[in-house]
Each structure stands twice: as C-alpha cells, then as structure tokens.
Amino acid sequence: EVQLVESGGGLVQPGGSLRLSCAASGFTFSNYWMSWVRQVPGKGLEWVANIKEDGSEKYYVDSVKGRFTISRENAQNSLYLQMNGLRGEDTAVYYCARVESGDYGYWGQGTLVTVSS
Amino acid sequence: AIRMTQSPSSLSASTGDRVTITCRASQSIASYLAWYQQKPGKAPKLLMYAASTLQSGVPSRFSGSGSGTDFTLTINCLQSEDFATYFCQQYYSYPRTFGQGTKVDIK
C-alpha cells in the first residue's frame, strides 16, 4: 500500500524557516517524480514544487522561487521541502504527492504550516 | 501561467441527479487534465487523468471529456458520498495549476 506521511509543520514567525519531510512507503520511491502541493484551509489547491526521480530537475511556482528548496533522499525514501523567508501567505496545509503522468495519484494527509507573529 | 477556470463554483443537487462541472483552460492543454475530489479535512483524491481516463477504483458513474481548452466532469446518478469539492488540474506545462474548485452540496 502506497503511503505518504508528512511531518515538520508548525507555527513559525514571519521570516523564519521550516523543513517539511515526507516519508514514502509501499512503492519504489526512486522511480517517481514527487511534488509538494499546498492549500490554504477552506481554499483552493496550489502546486508548489516538483522534483525528478534522481533530483536532477526541480520546478517551482514563482511565489516560492529563491525561498523554498525541494529535495529528496532516495536511500531513505524521503522527500523534503526547505522553506526559508516564510511569509503569512505561505500559511497552508502542505501535501506531498506522487506524480503519475503529471497528475497526482497519491497524497499524504498534509501538514499545517502557520506563519504568524 | 495557464489559468484554469471551473464553473460553477458551487451547485446543489439531489441524490440520483446528474451533475456536470466544466473546466476551461486559458490556452490549449491537449488532454493533460486531471480531476480530483476532496472532502473536508482530507487530501484530494484522483478521479480522472488524461481528461477522460478513470483512475483505478473510481466508480464508473464518473466520466470526463474534452480536449484543448474545454473539459467536463460528469457524475451520473449522484450518490451521498459524492458530495464534495472537485478540482481540475493541468499538467501540460509549468507551473502546474488548479481550478478554483466546485463544491457539490445537498439540495
């Protein structure tokens, strides 16, 4: 059974940093692109970043470029999102998701990031 | 960025109804479109990909159509478990973008 479990969310002050993790199991992690998608509670979905199977390609939404870094450790079946320079508008539930052919077939349960003083 | 516009933003329907949700892309995305269902407090669930291919395990009352810029998700014979919010998503180009969502609630 495919499982994705996010962790690392919490309350952080504006300008602060946070590192999210996603532990993957039930599939060959190194064979899949992975993604982070976020959602302000009660609002729509926003794609944040994608990373290729071997980490050699990364893509970001403009609003996080230069502040967020997606990475992975295939030996540990783990996906990460390093978030620096956090802003109030980054407050959201962050989901990790497995990329199928561009769509997202599997999602984690999400981790809430709250940016507030 | 490609803008995805869903309509309606919300609708009320009864069990047994046929429901149609549309998604329009601001430029052609061929058939690189997915549909998701999301219930409160839960992660989105993939229903359809490549515009019209049903994800494994999804009931056949769900169907998708369209290509280019105009797409449709149809739910035949709405069931109680189908009351949820539905999102479309394009994966033709970066940045990946989602529609704003369509909430289907009970009439």
Side-chain angles (χ1 to χ4, degrees), chain A residues 33 39 44-45 47 50 59 95 101-105 107-108, chain B residues 34 36 38 42-44 46 49 87 89 91 94-96 98:
Chain A
W33 284 70
Q39 184 175 37
L45 297 163
W47 169 76
N50 273 14
Y59 299 88
Y95 296 101
S101 40
D103 51 288
Y104 305 113
W107 299 65
Chain B
Y36 302 87
Q38 187 178 33
K42 300 293 187 181
L46 178 66
Y49 60 95
F87 295 93
Q89 176 235 334
Y91 49 98
Y94 288 104
R96 305 308 196 211
F98 291 85

Side-chain angles (χ1 to χ4, degrees), chain B residues 26-74:
Chain B
S26 61
Q27 65 184 75
S28 177
I29 58 170
S31 295
Y32 295 101
L33 184 98
W35 289 98
Y36 302 87
Q37 176 194 67
Q38 187 178 33
K39 296 181 178 179
K42 300 293 187 181
K45 172 188 173 182
L46 178 66
L47 298 176
M48 201 86 54
Y49 60 95
S52 60
T53 303
L54 202 64
Q55 172 72 345
S56 176
V58 174
S60 59
R61 62 181 179 272
F62 291 90
S63 63
S65 65
S67 67
T69 60
D70 294 315
F71 302 86
T72 298
L73 174 71
T74 299

